[in-house]
Amino acid sequence: MLKQERRERTRAYILLSIGLIITLYPFVLMVMSSFMTPSQLLNNPSMIIPMPWTWSGYTGLFKDLDVLLLFKNTLIIAGSVTLLNLFFDSLAAFALAKLKFPGKNALFGFMLFTLMIPGVLFFIPTYTMLYNWGWVNHYRALIIPSFVQFYSIFLMKQFMEQIPDEVIEAARIDGASDPVIYARIIIPMSVPVLATIAILTFMGAWNDFFGPLLYLRSPSMWTVQLGLQMFSSSIPGQNIQVLWAGEVVITLPILIVFLFLQKYFIRAFTNVSFK
Amino acid sequence: MKDFLRTLKRSKWGYIFVAPWIVGFLVFSVYPLWLGIKMTFLNYNLVAPQSIKFVGFQNWINGFIDPLFWKSIVNILYNQAIFIILTFFVALLVAYLLFKISNGNKFWNAFFRSAYFVPTITSVVVVMLVLGNITAPYGPIQSLLVKWHILSQPIVWNLTPILIMPVIAVITSWMSFGVQAIILLGGMGTIPTEFIEAARIDGAREGTIFWRIIFPLLRPQIVFIMVMNAIGGLQMFTQVYVNFGVTGGPDQAGMTPVLYIYDEGLSKFQMGYSSTLGFILSILIIIATVITLKVLQERN
């Protein structure tokens, strides 16, 4: 019995390792190519080791593509969206998980229903509205409409429901009002789910292409994804290594965050289901 | 009345805390929706608003008979048929393998889980650029295939209409199977081990255990994945935009509905017509979602 289990496990390890090579190969190629010379990239595409190694891709990032500016712009947007969501989502989640008010269940049911509405329904009308408000080419067009998101409220609510009611009741008997309970009890006890939401929201904004494409016109306001795409469609053949370096550099921040906080990432996806 | 006021007072904070979501929903969903409905009956050029004109159901009629719009629907269905099947079965296999090692060495368990998740955290733009390069005619894959005489000559897939959607489906699959695997693995983790042990003691083979015991118990996760596919997949945009801009590629084989709506609205400024196409697409997506739920959800 045990022997069979061990044999099956060994087989699983072998298959997973083979799968991993296919999964991670593009990343290896991306990093290697970012150190290649343009002539190697054009003439020897199946070779994986840079010959010779060159940093010109990375120095080119500052010359051909103002990567620091792109980083700054993206940080402003992604940072604001993340902070706003942490605050407003957690407030709503606290109310839905722990407070009593007439109409709560109906509201939550309605919120769940809104998850099923496809985003494309709002695409053109929202663009028209923000255009007429003069928001195009302003960061607020990307920040304000995403300041609160139901999916995050939902994840937070699920987590907060596990906080024992006794803790809250005890605080209430001591005279704590709901805002105090939120700040002193709920928030400190919800750090894991707040971390999960922070990561997912930040990553969503960092990796977003559609929003910046719609609303950011001036190149000086572009984000990393938009900047890289624009660069790739205008690229002169001799600087192709800069594109590879750009891909590495804009993926790296998310990858680093992921490596440190992987359990929070993965947790967000292990409990989802639809009954 | 007094009771009512007391309830209201006690519930004050509850309402205040959910108010931001309600306000956000009213301003950024309900109002645009109302605006959108009105726009479907207008000929409305965003940059020439003085020429606004009521056209009745003309936009709707045009939308229902627009050959390019329906071509884009067929394109995305072609893409999704490949994407959904491929991603799901790869994810199921990876989830099962990860499940097999979940009682083993803790480090390797966490390592494999995370490593398979990495494509998911990469942006669509980067994925399209990198995998576009890997699959290019003189890229590493095709170079090897030609060297080994599996291909007589390299194929330019983004100039070959029939191949555009399948290749994009495979690339998107590479990006998405990790997250689906983690979702399915989460479902496998909730299955009582006694179920599997009992079957094994009865002499059931591995395949039987998987298809008869594990797979049926994953229904909630499978429904979730398929509903997300129905909603998200049909709205594909970035993958085709990065490759072809607004043109949709040769023979418009890479045209997707959202790309078409984007082109009508953002390059031609036909807000009334593009808004109508958005409504038609949304109706189709909702139908697809309802069908998915009807087919997959347990009846009771």
Side-chain angles (χ1 to χ4, degrees):
Chain A
M1 205 44 109
L2 257 173
K3 209 168 159 194
Q4 188 199 343
E5 217 169 279
R6 206 177 310 138
R7 205 174 53 224
E8 278 179 19
R9 195 181 292 157
T10 312
R11 203 185 56 194
Y13 276 124
I14 294 170
L15 289 172
L16 282 170
S17 307
I18 296 169
L20 203 61
I21 295 172
I22 299 168
T23 308
L24 297 185
Y25 168 72
F27 293 99
V28 176
L29 182 88
M30 180 170 92
V31 173
M32 290 301 186
S33 301
S34 71
F35 290 109
M36 290 180 190
T37 57
S39 67
Q40 185 185 354
L41 283 165
L42 296 173
N43 303 329
N44 252 329
S46 56
M47 192 139 128
I48 190 109
I49 309 289
M51 294 262 250
W53 289 70
T54 167
W55 283 95
S56 67
Y58 290 89
T59 52
L61 280 178
F62 299 92
K63 261 198 331 254
D64 304 335
L65 178 82
D66 197 347
V67 75
L68 289 178
L69 181 72
L70 298 178
F71 262 73
K72 194 194 85 188
N73 296 343
T74 318
L75 267 178
I76 292 172
I77 297 167
S80 314
V81 171
T82 306
L83 290 178
L84 288 170
N85 269 278
L86 282 179
F87 181 62
F88 290 110
D89 296 344
S90 60
L91 276 182
F94 170 45
L96 292 169
K98 290 296 178 191
L99 300 181
K100 290 192 191 78
F101 56 92
K104 183 173 93 168
N105 291 333
L107 176 70
F108 183 67
F110 179 74
M111 288 167 131
L112 271 179
F113 163 76
T114 64
L115 269 189
M116 310 277 280
I117 307 174
V120 64
L121 188 61
F122 306 106
F123 159 33
I124 293 293
T126 306
Y127 180 79
T128 310
M129 177 177 89
L130 297 184
Y131 180 90
N132 288 331
W133 287 0
W135 284 24
V136 169
N137 216 15
H138 289 281
Y139 289 142
R140 58 175 182 264
L142 293 172
I143 297 169
I144 306 295
S146 343
F147 80 105
V148 56
Q149 244 132 29
F150 175 66
Y151 192 68
S152 310
I153 297 178
F154 179 70
L155 286 179
M156 287 187 188
K157 173 182 176 277
Q158 273 189 322
F159 185 91
M160 290 176 186
E161 272 165 352
Q162 288 156 14
I163 297 175
D165 283 327
E166 294 81 54
V167 184
I168 294 168
E169 283 313 316
R172 208 163 265 156
I173 290 164
D174 290 344
S177 64
D178 291 338
V180 173
I181 294 172
Y182 166 79
R184 294 278 168 79
I185 298 174
I186 300 294
I187 290 301
M189 288 180 90
S190 305
V191 171
V193 76
L194 293 174
T196 303
I197 299 302
I199 295 161
L200 291 181
T201 311
F202 188 85
M203 182 181 86
W206 184 274
N207 284 348
D208 185 25
F209 174 73
F210 192 54
L213 177 73
L214 285 184
Y215 293 108
L216 303 179
R217 294 292 143 75
S218 330
S220 65
M221 294 181 75
W222 284 351
T223 62
V224 284
Q225 308 298 335
L226 185 58
L228 193 77
Q229 151 66 18
M230 292 298 182
F231 182 65
S232 88
S233 49
S234 70
I235 189 164
Q238 310 99 324
N239 285 345
I240 190 93
Q241 80 282 22
V242 179
L243 185 63
W244 287 100
E247 289 157 7
V248 172
V249 163
I250 73 170
T251 307
L252 215 52
I254 299 291
L255 191 65
I256 291 170
V257 174
F258 175 71
L259 290 180
F260 280 102
L261 302 169
Q262 33 185 307
K263 72 170 182 218
Y264 295 111
F265 267 93
I266 289 179
R267 187 178 293 166
F269 296 95
T270 39
N271 261 326
V272 290
S273 65
F274 224 119
K275 292 215 176 80
Chain B
M1 193 60 202
K2 218 168 171 190
D3 270 7
F4 176 73
L5 280 177
R6 195 176 309 139
T7 325
L8 211 60
K9 198 167 171 202
R10 225 190 357 236
S11 330
K12 182 179 68 178
W13 289 111
Y15 289 120
I16 293 175
F17 290 169
V18 294
W21 183 85
I22 295 173
V23 172
F25 185 73
L26 290 175
V27 177
F28 297 110
S29 297
V30 175
Y31 179 64
L33 196 63
W34 165 237
L35 200 69
I37 293 172
K38 278 201 305 191
M39 276 159 50
T40 64
F41 299 105
L42 299 174
N43 189 340
Y44 177 21
N45 187 318
L46 190 66
V47 290
Q50 66 283 357
S51 65
I52 201 161
K53 209 170 77 197
F54 179 79
V55 291
F57 283 94
Q58 203 53 54
N59 285 328
W60 287 89
I61 295 165
N62 290 347
F64 277 112
I65 57 169
D66 185 335
L68 188 50
F69 180 66
W70 291 101
K71 183 177 173 117
S72 74
I73 299 272
V74 171
N75 287 343
I76 196 68
L77 291 176
Y78 177 33
N79 173 280
Q80 288 298 296
I82 299 167
F83 168 78
I84 290 173
I85 295 170
L86 178 66
T87 316
F88 181 71
F89 284 103
V90 173
L92 196 60
L93 175 66
V94 171
Y96 183 61
L97 294 173
L98 289 171
F99 180 62
K100 281 261 153 204
I101 65 162
S102 59
N103 293 324
N105 183 304
K106 273 211 174 67
F107 172 80
W108 289 111
N109 186 15
F111 168 79
F112 278 111
R113 259 177 220 223
S114 299
Y116 275 105
F117 203 75
V118 173
T120 301
I121 63 165
T122 314
S123 76
V124 180
V125 173
V126 170
V127 168
M128 285 318 295
L129 291 175
V130 174
L131 275 84
N133 205 284
I134 289 178
T135 54
Y138 294 96
I141 294 180
Q142 295 210 41
S143 302
L144 282 180
L145 291 179
V146 170
K147 206 192 235 166
W148 296 338
H149 302 288
I150 296 169
L151 279 183
S152 55
Q153 57 183 40
I155 298 166
V156 191
W157 66 266
N158 50 12
L159 293 178
T160 314
I162 190 98
L163 289 179
I164 287 173
M165 280 312 191
V167 174
I168 289 178
V170 172
I171 294 176
T172 315
S173 252
W174 173 80
M175 213 184 147
S176 313
F177 82 89
V179 68
Q180 291 193 9
I182 295 294
I183 292 171
L184 291 168
L185 179 64
M188 290 178 189
T190 62
I191 298 172
T193 41
E194 303 87 70
F195 282 23
I196 297 165
E197 287 307 315
R200 189 167 277 169
I201 288 163
D202 288 349
R205 284 209 323 241
E206 206 185 345
T208 318
I209 293 175
F210 181 76
W211 291 111
R212 292 286 168 78
I213 298 173
I214 298 176
F215 187 71
L217 289 169
L218 296 176
R219 188 195 293 267
Q221 283 74 28
I222 294 172
V223 176
F224 180 84
I225 289 173
M226 291 305 167
V227 167
M228 289 303 139
N229 279 338
I231 298 175
L234 297 175
Q235 301 188 60
M236 177 196 284
F237 173 84
T238 307
Q239 282 90 328
V240 278
Y241 184 87
V242 170
N243 270 291
F244 310 112
V246 292
T247 65
D251 199 17
Q252 280 147 330
M255 181 63 87
T256 66
V258 176
L259 184 64
Y260 186 49
I261 294 169
Y262 175 90
D263 188 35
E264 285 295 318
L266 277 284
S267 1
K268 299 185 187 132
F269 304 116
Q270 296 302 324
M271 306 325 268
Y273 188 52
S274 55
S275 184
T276 312
L277 294 179
F279 273 85
I280 298 176
L281 178 62
S282 299
I283 293 165
L284 295 175
I285 291 173
I286 290 167
I287 293 173
T289 312
V290 171
I291 292 175
T292 308
L293 282 171
K294 276 256 150 50
V295 172
L296 295 177
Q297 244 172 349
E298 215 147 8
R299 277 162 269 263
N300 50 16

